[in-house]
Amino acid sequence: MSTAPKTFNQPLGGNEMPRFGGPATMMRLPTQETAAGLDVAFIGVPFDIGTSNRPGARLAPRQIRDESRMLRPYNMATRAAPFNSLQVADIGDVPINTFNLQKSMAIIESFYDEVLEHDCRPLTLGGDHTIALPILRALRKKYGPIGLIHVDAHADINEHMFGEKIAHGTPFRRAVEEGLLDCDRVVQIGLRGTGYAADDFDWSREQGFRVVPAEECWNTSLVSLMAEVREKIGSGPVYISFDIDGIDPAYAPGTGTVEIAGLTVPQALEIIRGAWGLDIVGGDLVEVSPPYDTSGNTALLAANLLYEMLCVLPGVQRK
């Protein structure tokens, strides 16, 4: 008895519906309420009560989805064909409690627990960087301690912020303390700016992280760096956490804690494309703040970087 070939969800094409119309989902993909039957789920986390400077990241999932409307199915540079390979849908937003950070942490973790029960890999539209902590907590339960590729202007390893243990500047210190990360398989790229002490980034190095300050990235391709990263990460599960402020504010001004002299957009693509072949179990794009970029270009960049993450997930064919 013959088996019918699997039908994969496809983004709504620009010749079927004008780009400015159609569903307001990531890439105008179909939506569903749960991750059942999916290989990959796009998920919004409209949360910014962990921010320390300019707010607005709660508005990012909606604008990133809107700015994703120009994206087409095939990656012309890498020849990746994710929608010929994986079942992908947008499962909407996590219903966070916008008046209570701690309750929101539990809500987010529980939401991702359910997603992971379906063996689905989440790609997250943040939201501020606090959300990485509950996501990593959920991933730890499924995979054990995981590797991390963290792109950011900031290390996010503060001991506290205003005495609070959980905020957008603390998630990776908490992740280390809670045993969520395999510290010998963690890389932080793009760190820069001013600090409170000259050794602010040294705590990361002491844990075994490979720290790549932005200055190491200036005026150079990151292809060789990513070869080193792939060797360090190895064959185990790895998560990509990408703060848009890792990119120079000339390209991504719509964020809450801007720092000069950051990565370029081509370097961002080299980082994500350079993760091809790793066992990527999910990723996030965080800290877009739409009110600070009325052009929408920061959200447009975010949408493209999330698409690039989709294109390097395990199982994606290259034509």
Side-chain angles (χ1 to χ4, degrees):
M1 181 177 179
S2 63
T3 302
K6 184 174 182 178
T7 301
F8 292 105
N9 292 339
Q10 298 293 322
L12 181 61
N15 292 320
E16 302 169 73
M17 170 68 71
R19 292 286 174 188
F20 46 82
T25 60
M26 184 65 182
M27 294 186 68
R28 307 198 302 175
L29 281 163
T31 186
Q32 59 184 61
E33 292 186 3
T34 74
L38 298 180
D39 299 304
V40 184
F42 285 109
I43 304 165
V45 185
F47 173 98
D48 66 2
I49 54 177
T51 52
S52 59
N53 190 36
R54 305 191 303 199
R58 67 181 62 184
L59 306 174
R62 183 167 293 192
Q63 194 188 36
I64 293 169
R65 287 181 171 110
D66 186 27
E67 296 297 342
S68 74
R69 65 187 183 271
M70 279 295 295
L71 288 167
R72 303 173 184 88
Y74 294 95
N75 190 317
M76 302 307 292
T78 67
R79 303 183 72 88
F83 301 105
N84 289 10
S85 316
L86 303 174
Q87 190 68 293
V88 188
D90 186 330
I91 64 170
D93 290 341
V94 179
I96 62 102
N97 183 330
T98 196
F99 304 109
N100 191 305
L101 186 149
Q102 290 290 351
K103 287 182 178 178
S104 290
M105 295 298 97
I107 291 167
I108 296 167
E109 182 179 349
S110 177
F111 190 99
Y112 281 77
D113 284 340
E114 182 177 347
V115 169
L116 295 170
E117 285 177 2
H118 295 288
D119 293 326
C120 177
R121 296 175 194 252
L123 291 177
T124 300
L125 293 65
D128 76 50
H129 223 152
T130 316
I131 68 173
L133 180 60
I135 295 171
L136 288 171
R137 286 171 172 169
L139 289 166
R140 168 69 171 81
K141 283 178 272 187
K142 183 173 181 66
Y143 297 105
I146 63 175
L148 176 70
I149 298 173
H150 172 208
V151 183
D152 205 323
H154 312 98
D156 292 352
I157 54 169
N158 292 0
E159 173 57 34
H160 66 86
M161 300 186 80
F162 274 89
E164 297 296 329
K165 290 286 192 177
I166 296 180
H168 77 156
T170 69
F172 300 113
R173 183 175 288 245
R174 300 290 90 82
V176 170
E177 293 170 349
E178 296 179 20
L180 311 182
L181 298 177
D182 181 352
C183 293
D184 290 329
R185 301 175 54 244
V186 175
V187 179
Q188 295 184 304
I189 305 172
L191 307 190
R192 62 187 189 279
T194 53
Y196 291 103
D199 61 354
D200 273 359
F201 298 153
D202 288 349
W203 187 89
S204 290
R205 297 183 176 99
E206 291 163 1
Q207 311 314 306
F209 297 6
R210 167 72 162 99
V211 175
V212 185
E215 289 81 2
E216 287 187 27
C217 304
W218 289 351
N219 306 311
T220 188
S221 166
L222 301 187
V223 169
S224 60
L225 169 66
M226 291 311 296
E228 176 193 336
V229 168
R230 288 193 302 275
E231 183 174 353
K232 181 176 179 64
I233 297 294
S235 60
V238 59
Y239 184 76
I240 299 175
S241 190
F242 202 119
D243 188 323
I244 201 70
D245 72 27
I247 307 300
D248 190 89
Y251 309 105
T255 190
T257 49
V258 291
E259 305 282 1
I260 67 164
L263 302 174
T264 67
V265 173
Q267 287 176 324
L269 296 178
E270 287 179 326
I271 291 168
I272 297 175
R273 292 174 182 176
W276 170 254
L278 296 176
D279 183 16
I280 301 164
V281 296
D284 64 52
L285 192 293
V286 297
E287 298 283 356
V288 172
S289 182
Y292 295 96
D293 183 2
T294 55
S295 73
N297 282 343
T298 305
L300 174 67
L301 172 58
N304 276 269
L305 295 179
L306 284 160
Y307 170 73
E308 292 285 343
M309 289 185 204
L310 173 64
C311 288
V312 296
L313 291 181
V316 172
Q317 302 171 12
R318 294 193 170 188
K319 295 293 185 179

